[in-house]
Amino acid sequence: MGLGGDGEALRGEQAGQAGKKASARWRLVLVWFLRLLSVFWLAKGLMAWMVIFGVAADAQPPFENRLLSFQAIIVYFAVIDLVAAVGLWLTSTWGGVLWLLATLSHLLLSFFFPRFVPLTTWMVGIYVALMAVYFLVTWAAENEAE
């Protein structure tokens, strides 16, 4: 009586467990996408800190001698990019939200302040494509269990 109709207890599988393994594919894709994105955003945040500390290779004036608006933008990205990278690595919801905030603010600031936040058209395309992939993979991962 306790073995079930077709002996799942003997094989060590519960009913529907094989379906769960196949359905976990999108969740695994989401985790790997977030971890890879985290590595890139960590590098982006560290590059902002390189500007602050003056480690950049180009011959620019020291960070403290630049305009206050430039300093505020760089410090903003130095903080939010690293915090978003940690959240993405942990695959938490707040990490995705912070990453979207950082990405959208980068796009908006490059539109309003192109002198301080230069962004090429192909980088805009990459940011928009990454956001689209993020939404699609998140949607697929959340709907695979249904």
Side-chain angles (χ1 to χ4, degrees):
M1 291 247 178
L3 293 178
D6 54 358
E8 291 96 5
L10 293 176
R11 287 193 302 261
E13 270 186 18
Q14 294 179 353
Q17 194 173 25
K20 287 182 184 176
K21 288 180 184 175
S23 71
R25 182 183 77 226
W26 282 110
R27 291 199 187 269
L28 185 66
V29 169
L30 177 63
V31 168
W32 279 102
F33 175 72
L34 292 177
R35 296 268 167 97
L36 186 63
L37 198 57
S38 171
V39 170
F40 287 122
W41 241 252
L42 182 69
K44 186 176 176 292
L46 290 177
M47 287 190 324
W49 280 102
M50 287 174 56
V51 171
I52 292 172
F53 289 129
V55 182
D58 52 353
Q60 295 288 333
F63 181 74
E64 58 273 3
N65 291 342
R66 297 216 181 160
L67 293 174
L68 189 60
S69 54
F70 176 81
Q71 292 175 357
I73 289 171
I74 294 298
V75 168
Y76 171 75
F77 285 120
V79 173
I80 198 167
D81 286 344
L82 292 180
V83 174
V86 169
L88 288 172
W89 186 266
L90 295 175
T91 64
S92 64
T93 305
W94 61 266
V97 171
L98 275 180
W99 173 74
L100 287 171
L101 177 68
T103 305
L104 288 174
S105 60
H106 196 127
L107 290 171
L108 287 173
L109 286 172
S110 69
F111 179 74
F112 288 115
F113 301 104
R115 194 174 91 191
F116 299 140
V117 187
L119 198 62
T120 60
T121 55
W122 64 272
M123 283 301 292
V124 171
I126 288 174
Y127 280 10
V128 170
L130 285 174
M131 286 189 290
V133 168
Y134 172 76
F135 284 124
L136 288 173
V137 173
T138 303
W139 177 81
E142 290 299 319
N143 289 325
E144 73 183 348
E146 295 177 1

